[in-house]
Amino acid sequence: MTRIRPLANGIRTDHPVPGLPFIDDSHIPLDDGPEAIEAVGRNKAQGMWGRFDTEYSAGGWRAFTTDPIRHALAWAVRHHPDHGRTVLLVHDGDASSLHSDWTDAPLLYRAGGYWWDGTTWFRPGQVWDPVSQDHERRKASAAVTVTADAMLDPRAQPANAHLEKIATFDPQAPAPDNWRDHLALWARHHQQQKPALPLNQCVVNLASPELSGDQLLGVPEMAQLAGISPSSLRSYISRDTADVPLPQATVGGRAQWSRPVAEDWVESRRRSADGIREAMSAGDRDELSPGAARVRDRFTEDFYATLWGQPNNRKRWALRHRNPASVREVADLLAWSVGVSLDQILPTAILGPTIRHAVLDDFAFMMNRPKKNKEKPDSERGWWELNLTPPVAKMLDWYIQHHPDSAQWTIGEILRETNARWDIPAHDTGRALRSSLSMDGQMSKDDLEKYFELVIPREPTS
């Protein structure tokens, strides 16, 4: 979802952004291809950069470059072989972000992040899809593409508009009031291009019932939908936090959002890490998750019994017993209570099988790789071919350090299963486990050797 606010249209764009002025872009080689655009700024001077990428899935390419005259500004271009090109002037610091936002399907953005792929309009992407590793694509309701031929006003006067120069352009200047005149001026320049995309294919905006004025929400309504105060929402917007989407319109200086965009934002908040923590901690006095609350409650009772339930400890609260040594003794008692209660925090009955399956999955990946010598059986693979991924190795290392006796049984199951599946001797599996832990674990070499000497069966002697 783009959060970039463009500053102006390039005069050679095929898809003008409503309300923005038009800038003379003749000093940028737009017609020479993406490599030429990149070359304008790449490695040219301090503070300049350029880049282009080919879009293999959606077609065309995208490119950007720092403006060679105004290094604080940059040109961003998205080109499609059938749908023409978008040419925008942005702050130089926003160019790479917009370049990334154009990856894959989006060809242009309108109305605060609504985007068009050449056929369909979609709402700003906000809700994450873990399968596609991208935001869900949610179609705008009954969206209609508004093209330049429909926007041109026969009463417009191009003579009342002017084409701005990059050297004198003021990014802080207000949007032109007579934008229809500016659009007519753009159309005149556009017709002179060869070849020129027909005006009925030049996209200016979209129309949708969800973007009609009576359907837009202001800050109070959007905040109520999210279950927060209007002041909190205004704070999010001013500090650019909480991923508040760009407004779809600004009416009388007040931001307005479409209800579907606001609802998507609320949903994305609920699905975020903060939202999940809040949902799972509902009703707890310390806003802890259910598991953490149970741990707290258990140790509250345990600590109370240790500090007050035992007469020998209770007397330490007397003033004459309040000294560092006495406090240290009490702290040791409390810490001992935590240390012997690890199984109450992370039960070994479920941790052991989970680690076993993770280790065997790593081994299976290695065993399923093609062998260099296909004539040899699996049992003749070297033990060094069995590797654990670092997270799995670190978890097994933690398990051994905290629950060495339970880990012994888990490793025994791994040895048995590895032998049953791939006919690998136990001592070879043991070597592989020890090797992975030596690289990614935290146990000392001596402790590692000592432990595996006790856990792994001895290698048979011939």
Side-chain angles (χ1 to χ4, degrees), residues 27-43:
H27 61 302
I28 304 298
L30 299 178
D31 298 326
D32 296 338
E35 296 93 338
I37 296 173
E38 176 192 82
V40 171
R42 194 177 186 92
N43 297 320

Side-chain angles (χ1 to χ4, degrees), residues 13 68 93 97 111 118 140 225 230 243 253 271 274 298 312 347 364 378 390 419 443:
T13 189
S97 296
L225 197 64
D243 292 326
R271 291 175 176 266
D274 290 339
R298 182 197 182 284
N312 289 337
D378 286 339
N419 182 258
M443 295 175 65

Side-chain angles (χ1 to χ4, degrees), residues 144-154 180 183 199-202 204-205:
V144 176
T145 301
V146 180
T147 54
D149 62 325
M151 288 285 291
L152 285 171
D153 187 343
R180 294 296 180 107
L183 183 64
L199 292 177
N200 63 0
Q201 296 180 30
C202 295
V204 178
N205 213 339

Side-chain angles (χ1 to χ4, degrees), residues 129-272:
D129 180 1
V131 177
S132 66
Q133 289 294 290
D134 198 357
H135 292 103
E136 292 184 12
R137 296 181 179 181
R138 299 184 171 182
K139 295 181 180 180
S141 174
V144 176
T145 301
V146 180
T147 54
D149 62 325
M151 288 285 291
L152 285 171
D153 187 343
R155 297 168 297 177
Q157 299 294 323
N160 293 336
H162 65 281
L163 182 62
E164 299 205 35
K165 297 293 184 180
I166 191 68
T168 57
F169 172 66
D170 180 8
Q172 304 298 325
D177 293 330
N178 59 331
W179 193 74
R180 294 296 180 107
D181 295 338
H182 287 261
L183 183 64
L185 177 64
W186 163 83
R188 177 181 295 175
H189 282 270
H190 182 76
Q191 301 283 33
Q192 298 171 359
Q193 297 181 33
K194 297 186 182 300
L197 192 70
L199 292 177
N200 63 0
Q201 296 180 30
C202 295
V203 178
V204 178
N205 213 339
L206 81 154
S208 171
E210 62 192 59
L211 292 172
S212 60
D214 59 347
Q215 296 297 312
L216 298 179
L217 307 179
V219 167
E221 296 84 2
M222 187 167 175
Q224 183 179 19
L225 197 64
I228 59 177
S229 66
S231 60
S232 293
L233 179 55
R234 292 189 183 95
S235 177
Y236 293 158
I237 296 170
S238 65
R239 292 185 284 117
D240 194 20
T241 58
D243 292 326
V244 179
L246 291 176
Q248 275 59 70
T250 301
V251 181
R254 298 176 182 270
Q256 304 276 299
W257 292 266
S258 73
R259 179 173 289 276
V261 169
E263 290 173 344
D264 287 350
W265 178 65
V266 172
E267 181 180 348
S268 71
R269 280 172 55 82
R270 290 200 307 267
R271 291 175 176 266
S272 68

Side-chain angles (χ1 to χ4, degrees), residues 37-43 48-52 63-66 92:
I37 296 173
E38 176 192 82
V40 171
R42 194 177 186 92
N43 297 320
M48 295 186 67
W49 194 245
R51 174 171 177 164
F52 84 90
F64 73 88
T65 181
T66 304
D92 189 59

Side-chain angles (χ1 to χ4, degrees), residues 46 187 191 207 276 293 304 365 410 414:
Q46 182 70 26
Q191 301 283 33
I276 290 173
Y304 178 80
F365 176 79
T410 298
I414 294 170

